[in-house]
Amino acid sequence: MNKLKNILNKRLGFMTLLIFFLWIKTIIAYYLDFSLGVSDPLQHLILIINPIATAVILLSIALYINKPKISYIVMGIIYVLESALLYGNILYYREFSDFLSFNTIAGVSKVSKGLGGSAANLGQAHDFIYGLDFIIIAILLLTHYIKIDDRPMRKLTAIATTLLGVFLFSFNLAIAESNRPQLLGRTFDRAYIVKYLGLNTFLAYDSIKTVQNNQVRSEAVGTDMDDVLSYINQNYAKPNQAYFGKAKGKNIIVIHLESFQQFLINDKVNGQEVTPFLNSLYNDKNTMSFDNFYHEVGQGKTSDAENMLETSLYGLPEGSLFSKLGSDNTFQAAPAILGQKEGYTSAVFHGNIGSFWNRDNVYKNMGYNYFFDSSYFNKTSDSSLEYGMKDKLMLSESAKYLEQLQQPFYAKFITVTNHYPFQLPDEDNDGFQAPDTSNSAVNNYFLTAHYLDNSLKEFFDYLKSSGIYDNSMIVLYGDHYGLSNSQNPELAPLLGVDANNWTDFNNSQMQKVPFMIHMKGLKGGINHTYGGEIDVLPTILHLAGINTKQYVQLGSDLLSKQHNQIVPFRNKNFITKNYTVLKDSDGNPEVFKNSTGEQINLDQNPDLKKKISKWQQYVNDKLKLSDTINNKNLLRFYTPTSFTPVDPKNQSYQNEIQKLVQTRNTLGLKSTSVYSQNNNKSTTTLYNTDAPELNGDRSVIDSWSSVLKKTNDSTK
């Protein structure tokens, strides 16, 4: 005990005690109060060590102060602020399932209002733990067990302590990046930064990004929209009158096919169709299928695809727009447009946590009425993979919520099972035999794609049997590539290509993803028009009978005769109807014929060289314009006629089931939900799935009454 007392009576010893208390409190909060999705031993290790480094760095500041009493006071102030930040995050997370950001702290009055004016309502029995350390420290000081160390502190010791903290942080960051590459570059989720680097690092990172964004935005003025509106006017593509309004009043169901590439359509492995249901849908007479449709995502990948689908604006050149700007930007997005123009109810169904890609904030800004994330589904030890619930389970359990939506509705389903590393438990495989290449990711990709296909067949069968199908337009699209360029040589033989002859042109062709519009009575067929994800929104809106001329959209209707068939990629490469243009390592264009893959010598074709230069300028200008709109948040300066910018403060995704019931009860006989139209009887009994996790138990699918009871009990 005397040895411990001697240590604590030194300034470094007292600082170590404070670090220990901060560390233990933070670890308790990580496991008891935050849902951080820790999935493997390395992540547990990172979680355990990440509070230490920044605590060492911050508390070491006090060591540079010569006067001992002042040094202890500063150390105490830092400790109190750190403890307040921790507990503030705990309370905020309990209410909003998110962490305190720079903007949230800066608007502390709004935080108090958001917490209902009384943090006591959010307190829990174990919260005494977070104040126990103050009692212990007070007793140690009052009993003089700990005394102030009056000896001067050597500057070298202070510097060494700070450097120790920097070293620990560098070590933490290195192992975090090994487990989650591009952690800070892509910013998947606020919870990811907390999980890997801690609350302090998250707040510092968020603060830096906020200041950078605010600086750019503060320089923006309303006249910056002049160039944008001029571009929109010049590049507007009129709707094709043969299709305009064909889906007016119909439900619009968007199915997000995770990592699904075009080559899977009609493909066979070992004589078996990989995706037999999607093949039948792709070739259905009621489906408009596009075979020259490309993803155009950047580092934001899935979130970039969603952004283009919802807003017809590109993602950012670096990182994710959802994560960097989505909480604050003004959008003219599909759910708001459809809701305000045609009375659509909007909802998203996703089997991952709501904060991933910052969706819980972005969807509010886009105008989504409902967001059913993983908290609304039955989660068990075998129901989820790394990125969320398995598709069969998510889709089947979504039925009880879908049938409650007021029609017409705009509903998006985000599948996740076909996500890298493409791991599928044996019990979820119906006997499909994967290829046998030297690359396990390539082999497994076909298994998860086949599973996704089975999931979609079950979902479509339900839509048809419940009657939803007859009144709906269903849109399916692949969000981005699944297999990377480095894996394509192993894939090549399966596509009938010699791996030794695989070129950059072949890589570019692998950026094709499916895009299908399916509706009963739609004049379908294979459409060879070149386009990309940026073009989805104007196409859907025109089919729904909404003219897009007044909205700021950089894509154009794929069915319009005026559609521009230049497809820009986020890295400024592009594809036209006849040519693929890629940059070499020196930034010079490499041009390939789409029909043959043959590379063209531009020096021998000066006319084409001029066209390429002109097209490249078009691509550069289009991407730059999108970045300007996003980074400067220019849409706050322009409101289309009959459009009201979304106020996210009016939206919350905490009580979705209650909202569904209240809406239905308020409307009464005027309710247009499938449930109401079925005489207040559920249609979920019509949903048939062979998901082995259910073991024949349909209770989680046919559980609307139990869901209501659970909701009512939790709100008493």
Side-chain angles (χ1 to χ4, degrees), residues 87 91-92 95 109-123:
Y87 193 60
L91 295 179
Y92 192 77
E95 179 69 11
S109 61
K110 295 179 181 178
V111 176
S112 300
K113 183 178 179 181
L115 291 175
S118 177
N121 295 330
L122 299 171

Side-chain angles (χ1 to χ4, degrees), residues 562-664:
Q562 297 174 335
H563 171 69
N564 190 326
Q565 297 194 66
I566 298 176
V567 185
F569 294 136
R570 187 58 262 194
N571 61 4
K572 298 182 181 179
N573 291 339
F574 63 93
I575 290 179
T576 73
K577 186 176 181 180
N578 297 309
Y579 302 101
T580 295
V581 182
L582 312 173
K583 291 183 182 64
D584 63 18
S585 57
D586 295 321
N588 299 315
E590 292 181 330
V591 182
F592 301 86
K593 273 188 177 181
N594 290 344
S595 57
T596 63
E598 172 193 358
Q599 187 168 354
I600 299 171
N601 188 330
L602 288 181
D603 291 333
Q604 297 177 2
N605 198 329
D607 289 340
L608 179 59
K609 189 174 184 178
K610 289 181 181 178
K611 289 182 180 179
I612 296 295
S613 179
K614 181 180 178 182
W615 293 336
Q616 184 68 68
Q617 190 60 53
Y618 167 82
V619 168
N620 294 348
D621 290 345
K622 190 173 185 179
L623 292 170
K624 182 179 179 181
L625 191 69
S626 179
D627 293 341
T628 300
I629 294 169
N630 289 323
N631 288 322
K632 292 188 175 183
N633 193 20
L634 292 185
L635 294 187
R636 62 188 155 135
F637 297 122
Y638 171 70
T639 302
T641 305
S642 301
F643 180 80
T644 302
V646 173
D647 184 354
K649 294 192 293 294
N650 295 331
Q651 186 57 276
S652 170
Y653 296 134
Q654 298 298 312
N655 299 295
E656 304 302 73
I657 300 169
Q658 279 187 311
K659 286 193 291 182
L660 285 172
V661 176
Q662 288 171 355
T663 300
R664 193 185 74 214

Side-chain angles (χ1 to χ4, degrees), residues 482-499:
L483 298 174
S484 63
N485 288 349
S486 63
Q487 295 163 326
N488 286 339
E490 283 84 10
L491 175 68
L494 298 174
L495 304 180
V497 180
D498 186 343

